[in-house]
């Protein structure tokens, strides 16, 4: 069976991303505050520690450079002993020429050092860490060494770093709290706007939103939503009025046709050929009435009340199409157990099932169209040209006409109407190639146990 139309577009709303919370505006605000607070605090801590080290090293090196010259001057005043140093943290040593080799054996690390200031670190015999800066001045006759103890300085540096780390944690936590509070304050109007929109869901006359908000960005958004809502309400109202007017105006001539046909059929002198034509007109009038009623319900998004016997409606549809075959070598038959009843008016069921049967009859040149009754569904199986890949891919596009449509009449909206009726009543429709090795298509209309969805609206 080729498709005369397409069911309603199957591309529903996009699935929610499980990581959607990371893109929420509230989360972004909180993360922005947290990252800003942490980043600024970490930068401040790094610059503080870097500045302290730079200033401290410069001061110590200046002290060593000035004192080693003074240390050498005092030595030359009295070469018989090591000069005294005015700074308690500093230790001085003079190595004479005859002791150079002894220094190489006893302290090879000092022996290899060139002139300048060097950082010396290590552990003593007790395992305690030590650190000092060593100023070196070498002459051909004496080598001068001046050490500045940095052990206490390193301990102070470690304490300062711990304090800076704690500061980073504290300010990060404070930034998180401030960000959380600010996000709540900033997002409160947006959350209120969303809540009011949800409260108006399903209302045909939503109330204005702008009066509930100040004249800020959220107020401007509420005003824009009010304007859009008014324009959309006007469009929907005009559409409903148009549908109601068209339905009313079309029902009047259909009622006239129905009355005239019934009057003519009541005459006993009619020949069989005329009676057959009148019956065909009567069936066409009934189909038009059913279609108008179904389209009116679709435009209102309302379900009609009533219960329908699927087998009886199916038999009526087959009888109607048998009368229109016109010598076409096609057998229409039904199999399965009757008894399936659905909560829907016969007009809706007739339109939905009639489109499937009509497509099968239209595009099957010969063979049979089988209408199979199942426990909670109806299958329409044909022996037509089958379903192409292009048809399968574009089947649910509104206005699409199958590759086998040829020059046949039709706007490609038949299955679109079927799809909308299925959405309205909680049914399901599908069209697929036959799986039994035969050529053709199987169209399935499933009623879900014959019960409409609980979320559907009432009928009018």
């Amino acid at each position: 069976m080729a498709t005369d139309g397409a069911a309603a577009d199957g591309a529903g709303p996009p699935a929610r991303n499980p990581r959607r919370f990371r893109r929420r505006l509230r989360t972004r605000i909180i993360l922005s505050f947290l990252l800003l607070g942490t980043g600024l605090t970490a930068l401040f801590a790094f610059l503080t520690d870097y500045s302290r080290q730079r200033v401290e090293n410069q001061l110590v090196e200046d002290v060593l450079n000035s004192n080693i010259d003074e240390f050498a001057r005092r030595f030359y005043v009295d070469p018989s002993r090591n000069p005294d140093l005015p700074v308690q943290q500093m230790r001085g040593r003079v190595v004479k020429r005859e002791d150079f080799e002894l220094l190489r054996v006893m302290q090879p690390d000092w022996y290899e050092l060139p002139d300048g200031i060097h950082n010396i670190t290590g552990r003593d015999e007790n395992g305690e860490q030590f650190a000092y800066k060593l100023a070196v001045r070498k002459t051909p006759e004496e080598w001068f060494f001046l050490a500045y103890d940095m052990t206490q300085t390193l301990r102070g540096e470690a304490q300062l770093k711990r304090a800076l780390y704690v500061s980073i944690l504290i300010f990060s936590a404070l930034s998180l709290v401030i960000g959380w509070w600010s996000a709540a304050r900033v997002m409160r109007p947006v959350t209120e706007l969303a809540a009011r929109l949800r409260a108006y869901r399903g209302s045909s006359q939503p109330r204005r939103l702008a009066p509930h908000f100040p004249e800020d960005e959220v107020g401007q958004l509420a005003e824009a939503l009010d304007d859009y809502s008014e324009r959309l309400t006007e469009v929907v109202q005009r559409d409903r009025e148009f549908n109601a007017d068209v339905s009313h105006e079309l029902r009047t001539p259909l009622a006239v046709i129905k009355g005239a046909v019934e009057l003519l059929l009541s005459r006993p002198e009619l020949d069989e050929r005329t009676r057959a034509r009148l019956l065909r007109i009567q069936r066409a009038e009934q189909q038009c009435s059913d279609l108008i009623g179904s389209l009116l319900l679709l435009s209102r998004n309302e379900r009609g009340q009533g219960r329908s016997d699927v087998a009886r409606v199916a038999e009526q549809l087959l009888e109607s199409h048998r009368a229109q075959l016109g010598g076409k070598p096609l057998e229409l038959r039904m199999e399965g157990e009757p008894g399936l009843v659905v909560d829907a008016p016969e007009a809706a069921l007739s339109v939905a099932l009639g489109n499937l049967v009509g497509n099968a009859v239209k595009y099957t040149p010969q063979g049979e169209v089988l209408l199979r009754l199942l426990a909670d569904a109806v299958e329409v199986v044909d022996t037509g040209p089958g379903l192409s890949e292009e048809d399968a891919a574009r089947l649910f596009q509104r206005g699409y006409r199958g590759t086998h449509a040829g020059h046949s009449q039709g706007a490609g909206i038949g299955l679109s109407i079927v799809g909308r009726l299925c959405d309205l009543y909680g049914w399901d429709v599908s069209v697929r190639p036959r799986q039994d090795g035969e050529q053709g298509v199987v169209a399935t209309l499933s009623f879900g146990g014959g019960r409409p969805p609980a979320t559907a609206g009432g009928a009018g």
Side-chain angles (χ1 to χ4, degrees):
M1 178 184 73
T3 58
D4 181 35
D9 194 348
R16 290 180 178 268
N17 191 330
R19 301 169 67 180
R20 174 178 174 272
F21 73 94
R22 295 187 180 180
R23 300 196 300 269
R24 292 180 59 186
L25 186 56
R26 183 193 301 271
T27 306
R28 289 191 220 172
I29 295 175
I30 295 174
L31 288 178
S32 298
F33 271 89
L34 177 61
L35 293 176
L36 178 63
T38 303
L40 290 179
T41 306
L43 180 61
F44 174 76
F46 170 77
L47 293 177
T48 300
D49 186 59
Y50 174 78
S51 301
R52 182 201 62 79
Q53 291 184 19
R54 185 178 180 86
V55 172
E56 182 180 74
N57 288 335
Q58 187 64 44
L59 290 175
V60 172
E61 290 178 2
D62 290 343
V63 170
L64 287 172
N65 285 325
S66 61
N67 279 273
I68 195 169
D69 294 334
E70 177 65 16
F71 180 66
R73 189 191 66 80
R74 292 188 181 189
F75 171 77
Y76 287 121
V77 171
D78 184 5
S80 63
R81 63 184 182 88
N82 278 340
D84 295 330
L85 293 174
V87 182
Q88 186 176 5
Q89 285 182 277
M90 297 176 65
R91 296 291 183 268
R93 180 180 178 184
V94 181
V95 180
K96 297 182 180 181
R97 184 180 182 86
E98 59 269 20
D99 296 327
F100 285 174
E101 286 301 318
L102 180 61
L103 177 66
R104 185 176 65 83
V105 176
M106 299 299 296
Q107 287 184 292
D109 50 343
W110 283 25
Y111 181 86
E112 301 291 340
L113 293 176
D115 286 0
I117 297 176
H118 309 277
N119 294 312
I120 308 297
T121 59
R123 293 186 179 274
D124 58 19
E125 59 275 6
N126 298 322
E128 297 291 335
Q129 185 177 8
F130 65 84
Y132 60 89
K133 286 183 176 291
L134 184 65
V136 179
R137 293 290 187 274
K138 292 183 177 181
T139 65
E141 299 297 328
E142 294 89 13
W143 289 356
F144 298 94
F145 297 95
L146 193 61
Y148 189 98
D149 188 10
M150 300 289 292
T151 304
Q152 294 297 329
T153 304
L154 291 179
R155 292 174 182 172
E157 179 182 346
Q159 292 177 356
L160 176 61
K161 288 185 177 180
R162 284 196 294 268
L164 292 176
Y165 292 151
V166 173
S167 299
I168 292 176
L169 293 177
I170 293 175
F171 279 97
S172 297
L174 183 61
S175 301
L176 180 61
V177 173
I178 295 176
W180 195 282
W181 178 81
S182 300
R185 295 273 299 181
V186 171
M187 294 303 300
R188 186 175 300 158
V190 180
T191 304
E192 181 182 354
L193 177 61
R196 290 185 178 275
L197 284 174
R198 285 193 296 268
Y200 297 159
R201 183 181 299 170
S203 174
S204 59
Q205 294 294 333
R207 296 182 293 274
R208 290 185 58 82
L209 300 169
H212 300 281
F213 299 94
E215 295 183 359
D216 54 8
E217 289 79 2
V218 178
Q220 295 176 4
L221 177 60
E223 187 174 355
L225 288 174
D226 287 338
D227 180 66
Y228 178 75
S229 176
E230 290 177 0
R231 290 187 285 110
L232 187 61
T233 301
E234 291 177 0
V235 171
V236 172
Q237 185 63 31
R238 288 197 300 268
D239 183 65
R240 288 183 175 179
E241 291 176 355
F242 173 78
N243 290 329
D245 293 342
V246 170
S247 175
H248 178 270
E249 295 301 325
L250 288 178
R251 284 178 176 177
T252 300
L254 288 175
V256 173
I257 294 174
K258 180 178 181 180
V261 170
E262 291 178 350
L263 181 61
L264 291 174
L265 288 174
S266 64
R267 294 183 178 181
E269 67 274 11
L270 288 177
D271 57 85
E272 290 301 322
R273 185 174 181 180
T274 303
R275 182 176 297 275
R277 291 179 177 177
L278 290 175
L279 289 174
R280 183 174 181 180
I281 296 174
Q282 187 180 50
R283 286 191 295 267
E285 180 275 329
Q286 184 62 44
Q287 290 177 359
C288 289
S289 298
D290 293 343
L291 182 59
I292 291 173
S294 299
L295 292 177
L296 185 62
L297 291 176
L298 285 176
S299 67
R300 297 174 178 174
N301 197 29
E302 297 176 351
R303 289 206 313 264
Q305 298 292 339
R307 293 173 63 83
S308 302
D309 187 334
V310 178
R312 187 166 67 87
V313 173
E315 184 59 40
Q316 293 175 355
L317 291 172
L318 292 181
E319 287 295 331
S320 174
H321 284 88
R322 286 191 186 101
Q324 303 175 29
L325 289 178
K328 188 176 184 180
L330 186 64
E331 179 185 2
L332 307 182
R333 64 187 183 92
M334 182 174 64
E335 69 177 25
E337 293 295 329
L340 176 59
V341 178
V342 295
D343 291 328
E346 287 192 359
L349 178 60
S350 178
V351 170
L353 189 56
N355 271 282
L356 300 180
V357 176
N359 276 347
V361 172
K362 181 185 297 184
Y363 297 110
T364 304
Q366 61 182 359
E368 69 171 2
V369 172
L370 171 63
L371 203 152
R372 183 182 296 128
L373 301 178
L374 304 177
D376 60 350
V378 179
E379 289 184 348
V380 180
V381 185
D382 63 48
T383 57
L387 191 67
S388 66
E389 293 184 0
E390 181 183 2
D391 289 339
R394 305 180 58 189
L395 179 63
F396 299 114
Q397 294 181 7
R398 178 179 173 84
Y400 176 71
R401 303 178 70 232
T403 55
H404 299 288
H407 300 286
S408 63
Q409 297 180 352
I413 62 173
L415 291 184
S416 176
I417 296 175
V418 176
R420 292 173 60 191
L421 284 172
C422 290
D423 292 338
L424 183 64
Y425 288 95
W427 302 340
D428 182 57
V429 63
S430 62
V431 180
R432 57 179 175 80
R434 294 180 61 166
Q435 304 296 321
D436 55 2
E438 299 291 336
Q439 187 179 31
V441 169
V442 178
T444 304
L445 182 62
S446 177
F447 304 105
R451 295 184 300 273
T455 56

